[in-house]
Amino acid sequence: MLEIKNLHVKLEEEDKVILRGVDLTVEAGKVHAIMGPNGSGKSTLSYVLSGRDGYEVTDGSATLLGQDILGMEPEERAAAGLFLAFQYPVEIPGVGNMTFLRSAVNAQRKARGEPEMSSTEFLKVIREKAKELEIDADMLKRPVNVGFSGGEKKRNEILQMAMLEPKMCILDETDSGLDVDAMKLVSDGVNALRDEGRGFLVITHYQRLLDHIQPDVVHIMSNGRIVKTGGPELALEVEKNGYADLKETA
Amino acid sequence: MMALLKKKAPDARKLEATAARLDALTIPQGGWAEPARRDAAARLRAQGLPQGRDEYWKFTRPDTLTQEDAPRAAVLEPGETPIFDAFDRLKIVFTDGVFDPEASDALALEHVEIERLATSRADIHWAKDLYGTLEARGQVPVDRPLAAFNTAFATDGLLIRVIGRAPKPIAIIYRHESETSDAILHHVVKVEEGGELTLLETGPAAARFNKCMEVDVADGAAFRHIRTQGRDHERRAATHIFGRLGAESVFKSFTLTMNGKLTRNECVLELTGDDAVAHVAGACVGDGDFHHDDTVFITHDAVNCESRQVFKKVLRNGAVGVFQGKILVQPGAQRTDGYQISQSLLLDEDSQFLAKPELEIYADDVACSHGSTSGAIDEEALFYLRARGLPKADATVYLTLAFLAEAVQEIDDEDLQAEIVGRIEAWLFRRRR
């Protein structure tokens, strides 16, 4: 699904190297988690994969279903099946949540040469999915993320993910700012999307999200590299001992 | 700041030029308005027509607004249905400044008296005490010579007296058919105690348009005004709104401006009764040969009043936006709540926004804020939308709408608001790149 090889990335504006050779393969149907201390490069990895400006890839490659994504515009990556759930979803006043989402769904379909979703069909699907995430009609009508609580914003991210039906989902610290109930809702939403054809990369500081979204593989990232890979037990180890030991083994 | 607004004696050459220009014109004769017209002409001769050197015209060149002939302006084929077409409203049409009885509805509406300035001949008329009166009051402390010019020479206009709740909006529809038309219209609106009116003004009016509207909102009355200017590209327009607000009254005015070589909208409001609320908002979108000037002056002269000025400008391809906005809080106008924001979204580096926000406060228990910014599209938000699959050009349209939202949301009626948003969206999508 997602194949990252020897990825080296620096900031475009300054001589600061952030990723120093990341190798990672996420298979279809699998959930991979990346954990690591602040500044280890986790969020940068998610931004570089989804095409945010400000980074320069100096070496390595990243492919999604065999397609090189690093040369694509962000919207092309989205149409190719990549989704990034933002750590800080952006507020867009004056643009209705539903209007925005329908435009996004249809922009992706258009880019893939698929027919657009009719408004009736869209309404039916979004109502169903919103209900599962406890997103009410008012939240759908309101401007994108405006006046949403932290938990509502994250649920809205998952709703977008559910509507866009990406192949590869990257969740960037989706647990930050969530209380226990919201974490459960968000995790249920993510788990509902788990299937054979979809890969997940879950970026988190803490093990607690992984109680809800059970990963198949856990990676520890430190100083721009993946320093350790293991099963779910690795997350528990981090929870117990912190990152200090793992950094030393790097 | 005060010193800049103090009146200086105009220089002799300016007054000579003004006299020469006025000598060539004839004040419409007869009727109750003639004394007010003569008074306005005399005031204008004493203050002089505006010149580029005038402080109040520092950012906007007045010459094409004052010269003898209106510069030619092409007539636009709109290619879309007129705005508010589907809304139930009383339509009154002026084509190139001339009343069009064929296209207009009968001037009759429940709880409202409507007459035309040009045909109102009664000796004693309610509008006699208002015509030119609010305009004259609005000449202090800053000269507004184009408004005095309007009072003196307006050829027509509407006199609207609202004595109850108007059952539907009155829509003044301007049409532009002549490339050289030079229209001067003057409306007077009096909303009596407890009365309510929504007034819509739409459409390109003329090659050059000078329009003045005086609005007296009595105690407990409400006046809502939604205006669209454009989308004609070559027009020049100078408009004035003079409003007086009584106690517990509401005045809300929103203007959408699309295109136009030169538009100067002045709004001068005086809150004279306690607990009054005045909101003035504007959204404008300009691409290329576009100069848009919002000049606002709000005076708080009563207790516990609220005023809001919300102006947003989207500028591209060399377009220029100007904002001169002032809140003046008079001694004794305690518990004033004044808010003023003027912002521009510059879609490229060629465009320009010039702002002069001012506060002048003579009361101590007052909350006033003002802010002015110029900025580009927010990269973080742009990335967010693109990461959802929206092409960059579409994402830019949405973020532009988001930028304008605060101004557009000043329109209370959701349907009217949606219609305005639809027009802005269409304008933006036509130009997306």
Side-chain angles (χ1 to χ4, degrees):
Chain A
M1 174 67 62
L2 178 68
E3 209 164 335
I4 304 166
K5 282 186 187 157
N6 192 32
L7 189 62
H8 285 73
V9 171
K10 68 181 268 294
L11 289 182
E12 213 167 54
E13 303 277 301
E14 19 181 324
D15 268 338
K16 191 175 173 192
V17 178
I18 304 188
L19 300 182
R20 303 162 189 277
V22 174
D23 288 291
L24 176 67
T25 301
V26 181
E27 309 81 6
K30 299 289 183 200
V31 174
H32 285 232
I34 295 188
M35 302 182 72
N38 288 324
S40 58
K42 305 185 302 290
S43 286
T44 296
L45 178 63
S46 73
Y47 289 146
V48 170
L49 290 175
S50 47
R52 184 179 162 141
D53 279 346
Y55 301 100
E56 190 185 326
V57 175
T58 51
D59 201 2
S61 66
T63 58
L64 178 66
L65 294 163
Q67 270 186 290
D68 170 23
I69 54 170
L70 294 179
M72 293 183 185
E73 297 294 340
E75 57 269 33
E76 292 169 339
R77 301 179 196 208
L82 190 75
F83 181 91
L84 171 65
F86 279 53
Q87 184 179 1
Y88 303 109
V90 178
E91 297 186 6
I92 319 279
V95 179
N97 211 6
M98 211 139 59
T99 310
F100 154 64
L101 201 39
R102 188 163 165 240
S103 306
V105 166
N106 283 332
Q108 289 201 14
R109 288 185 166 222
K110 197 175 157 194
R112 291 194 292 260
E114 298 166 8
E116 292 198 354
M117 207 179 203
S118 73
S119 47
T120 341
E121 192 190 347
F122 178 81
L123 262 178
K124 187 172 158 267
V125 179
I126 198 169
R127 281 196 183 130
E128 219 168 85
K129 302 202 188 240
K131 202 175 160 196
E132 286 163 17
L133 287 159
E134 295 185 13
I135 289 174
D136 60 21
D138 182 53
M139 257 177 82
L140 289 178
K141 264 196 224 156
R142 265 154 57 191
V144 183
N145 294 326
V146 176
F148 287 24
S149 70
E152 286 173 334
K153 283 181 183 167
K154 295 298 171 73
R155 266 147 61 199
N156 202 31
E157 291 293 286
I158 306 304
L159 175 68
Q160 293 175 19
M161 190 162 89
M163 289 303 295
L164 293 166
E165 299 183 318
K167 298 268 189 283
M168 179 67 218
C169 308
I170 305 172
L171 279 66
D172 186 13
E173 306 209 8
T174 292
D175 50 338
S176 69
L178 292 188
D179 61 29
V180 182
D181 293 340
M183 179 124 57
K184 175 106 184 24
L185 266 176
V186 164
S187 307
D188 289 349
V190 172
N191 289 330
L193 289 171
R194 288 177 77 156
D195 74 30
E196 288 305 305
R198 189 169 283 138
F200 284 87
L201 189 58
V202 179
I203 294 170
T204 180
H205 272 297
Y206 305 105
Q207 190 268 335
R208 55 176 195 166
L209 179 67
L210 305 179
D211 284 343
H212 299 283
I213 305 173
Q214 296 267 331
D216 298 296
V217 183
V218 175
H219 308 274
I220 307 298
M221 197 160 178
S222 176
N223 197 23
R225 256 194 298 253
I226 287 175
V227 293
K228 192 162 186 181
T229 296
E233 73 288 347
L234 189 53
L236 294 167
E237 197 181 309
V238 168
E239 182 74 2
K240 210 168 125 198
N241 303 328
Y243 291 112
D245 299 348
L246 294 161
K247 272 195 244 180
E248 277 164 24
T249 63
Chain B
M1 287 293 181
M2 257 309 268
L4 299 176
L5 291 177
K6 286 233 173 83
K7 292 195 178 185
K8 279 188 286 186
D11 67 67
R13 275 168 62 192
K14 180 175 176 175
L15 296 188
E16 275 167 32
T18 300
R21 171 91 168 92
L22 299 194
D23 287 345
L25 298 169
T26 313
I27 290 175
Q29 307 287 306
W32 51 264
E34 194 181 327
R37 290 176 179 279
R38 296 205 171 279
D39 176 66
R43 285 189 275 115
L44 179 56
R45 282 177 190 271
Q47 63 187 183
L49 283 164
Q51 291 184 340
R53 272 171 296 173
D54 297 351
E55 179 65 25
Y56 217 46
W57 289 86
K58 196 162 113 185
F59 302 131
T60 298
R61 284 183 57 177
D63 50 346
T64 54
L65 296 170
T66 59
Q67 71 186 43
E68 195 175 330
D69 294 318
R72 186 174 289 270
V75 174
L76 178 93
E77 288 301 331
E80 62 183 358
T81 53
I83 190 165
F84 304 135
D85 212 31
F87 286 76
D88 185 22
R89 65 216 158 117
L90 183 88
K91 289 191 277 188
I92 304 172
V93 178
F94 289 89
T95 302
D96 292 307
V98 178
F99 176 67
D100 184 341
E102 303 290 310
S104 301
D105 293 331
L107 303 189
L109 187 64
E110 200 184 350
H111 305 309
V112 185
E113 295 167 17
I114 311 168
E115 272 179 87
R116 284 174 49 212
L117 174 65
T119 53
S120 164
R121 284 286 170 265
D123 286 342
I124 301 169
H125 197 281
W126 62 263
K128 192 179 173 186
D129 294 336
L130 272 179
Y131 187 89
T133 305
L134 296 184
E135 176 262 299
R137 284 181 68 98
Q139 301 284 348
V140 181
V142 196
D143 286 349
R144 303 179 196 279
L146 291 172
F149 181 88
N150 183 298
T151 297
F153 299 105
T155 53
D156 205 348
L158 294 175
L159 311 171
I160 301 171
R161 180 164 172 256
V162 185
I163 52 176
R165 192 177 168 163
K168 59 182 176 186
I170 293 177
I172 308 177
I173 298 163
Y174 302 112
R175 290 184 186 159
H176 176 210
E177 289 179 2
S178 152
E179 287 191 355
T180 54
S181 55
D182 193 11
I184 311 173
L185 294 177
H186 192 119
H187 308 304
V188 178
V189 180
K190 187 173 192 191
V191 190
E192 302 282 7
E193 201 166 330
E196 269 185 51
L197 176 72
T198 296
L199 181 69
L200 309 174
E201 280 188 287
T202 60
R208 181 168 69 182
F209 190 32
N210 181 327
K211 194 205 63 189
C212 182
M213 181 161 72
E214 295 176 282
V215 186
D216 186 83
V217 191
D219 294 354
F223 175 74
R224 290 183 177 80
H225 175 232
I226 296 155
R227 164 169 67 168
T228 63
Q229 299 172 307
R231 312 181 339 259
D232 50 333
H233 292 276
E234 297 176 359
R235 81 163 171 281
R236 289 172 167 85
T239 77
H240 290 82
I241 297 172
F242 295 96
R244 186 203 70 88
L245 280 77
E248 294 178 23
S249 68
V250 173
F251 175 104
K252 289 192 177 182
S253 175
F254 170 87
T255 301
L256 167 65
T257 308
M258 294 183 285
N259 309 337
K261 251 188 202 319
L262 173 58
T263 308
R264 164 119 159 178
N265 294 329
E266 294 194 30
C267 183
V268 184
L269 302 178
E270 209 180 345
L271 290 83
T272 63
D274 297 347
D275 304 297
V277 173
H279 291 196
V280 194
C284 81
V285 287
D287 184 353
D289 191 3
F290 174 87
H291 183 107
H292 183 86
D293 176 333
D294 281 301
T295 291
V296 182
F297 199 114
I298 296 185
T299 304
H300 282 259
D301 203 4
V303 172
N304 203 32
C305 292
E306 173 194 311
S307 73
R308 276 174 73 83
Q309 303 174 38
V310 182
F311 288 88
K312 303 265 186 162
K313 300 180 197 294
V314 177
L315 305 168
R316 192 162 91 181
N317 197 13
V320 178
V322 174
F323 175 79
Q324 306 190 95
K326 176 152 182 167
I327 306 173
L328 169 63
V329 181
Q330 297 286 25
Q334 302 297 4
R335 301 198 302 283
T336 287
D337 180 2
Y339 173 79
Q340 179 195 85
I341 184 105
S342 61
Q343 294 180 309
S344 72
L345 176 63
L346 306 177
L347 292 178
D348 54 40
E349 285 173 7
D350 302 329
S351 302
Q352 221 190 132
F353 178 54
L354 306 157
K356 189 173 148 192
E358 291 178 277
L359 296 177
E360 193 178 329
I361 300 172
Y362 297 102
D364 51 17
D365 182 11
V366 165
C368 278
S369 63
H370 69 106
S372 186
T373 63
S374 268
I377 286 279
D378 177 19
E379 290 295 328
E380 174 74 18
L382 188 64
F383 172 60
Y384 183 65
L385 297 186
R386 295 178 74 189
R388 295 294 171 261
L390 291 173
K392 188 178 180 184
D394 293 12
T396 304
V397 167
Y398 284 119
L399 293 176
T400 306
L401 287 172
F403 166 77
L404 293 172
E406 187 187 359
V408 175
Q409 282 160 5
E410 286 291 327
I411 302 169
D412 289 334
D413 185 291
E414 281 184 16
D415 295 332
L416 293 172
Q417 192 188 111
E419 179 94 347
I420 291 283
V421 170
R423 295 300 159 132
I424 300 172
E425 208 173 320
W427 189 95
L428 293 169
F429 270 112
R430 276 194 297 272
R431 282 169 181 75
R432 93 191 122 158
R433 58 185 178 210

